[in-house]
Amino acid sequence: MDELLLITPTEALAVVAGTVGMYVAMVVLVKVLGQRMLATMSSYDLAAVVAFGAIIGRASLGEVPRLAAGVLALATLILLQAIAGMIRVTRSGNHAVAVPPVVLMAGSTVIEENMKRCHVVQHELASRLRQAGIRHRGEVAAVVFEPSGAISVLRRGDGIEPQLLEGVRGADLVPRELLR
């Protein structure tokens, strides 16, 4: 029964090392490839996330998964999430872990370079504009690709408080007359 439930100290170390390695790899890949893959998910994206989980789980737990290994891997992931949360509190830590928001549209102008960087295509942008009730591009003050992968649409009107665009890559492209 012990063989089904327990692991040796060496196996425990391997589980922790595998879990940490896979977590760091996933964080780096999301940072490099963009948070787009974590935004609103299509059925294809959901299938990919399930596959990612299976790969990470297999690499973390080793060849013969045991209950102790699963509990240890889960505890390691929770600890890593807690550490990442503490790191994100500092400005430099947040910059190292998180991807900054990016302006996709400044006024009615689409910033093609930022669209490519964020892996957003025209039909996705148009869909988000429609969801926000935008009838024509002249109603747009700014569109921002958020660190969560969501797309925020800011309408023209009273003007945008500059603090809302603080830390946003490409904020300088938003026309001055659209700011407060």
Side-chain angles (χ1 to χ4, degrees):
M1 186 68 143
D2 285 350
E3 292 137 7
L4 296 175
L5 301 176
L6 303 178
I7 56 176
T8 67
T10 303
E11 290 170 325
L13 185 59
V15 167
V16 170
T19 303
V20 170
M22 291 305 291
Y23 183 86
V24 169
M26 190 67 177
V27 168
V28 169
L29 287 171
V30 168
K31 177 110 172 121
V32 170
L33 298 175
Q35 69 273 34
R36 182 73 185 115
M37 61 188 252
L38 301 176
T40 54
M41 292 192 286
S42 67
S43 57
Y44 171 78
D45 296 326
L46 181 60
V49 167
V50 169
F52 295 153
I55 291 166
I56 290 170
R58 199 71 180 134
S60 296
L61 297 177
E63 199 170 310
V64 181
R66 296 190 177 108
L67 178 62
V71 170
L72 185 57
L74 185 61
T76 303
L77 280 174
I78 290 170
L79 179 63
L80 290 169
Q81 276 296 100
I83 291 169
M86 289 187 289
I87 289 171
R88 288 181 62 179
V89 171
T90 67
R91 184 178 203 105
S92 60
N94 188 48
H95 181 70
V97 176
V99 179
V102 179
V103 172
L104 299 179
M105 279 183 74
S108 58
T109 304
V110 175
I111 314 301
E112 293 294 337
E113 180 180 324
N114 290 350
M115 294 274 290
K116 287 178 187 169
R117 178 183 294 140
C118 295
H119 308 285
V120 176
V121 294
Q122 286 292 333
H123 74 269
E124 290 172 304
L125 176 63
S127 173
R128 187 61 193 113
L129 292 174
R130 289 189 302 272
Q131 290 172 4
I134 299 295
R135 294 172 304 230
H136 55 83
R137 291 178 187 232
E139 294 181 45
V140 175
V143 175
V144 178
F145 187 69
E146 302 292 352
S148 65
I151 297 174
S152 298
V153 178
L154 303 173
R155 294 173 164 274
R156 290 182 188 248
D158 291 338
I160 303 169
E161 290 183 17
Q163 294 84 359
L164 289 177
L165 296 177
E166 198 171 293
V168 177
R169 187 180 293 159
D172 57 319
L173 300 173
V174 176
R176 284 283 195 232
E177 65 271 9
L178 299 177
L179 302 175
R180 234 183 218 186

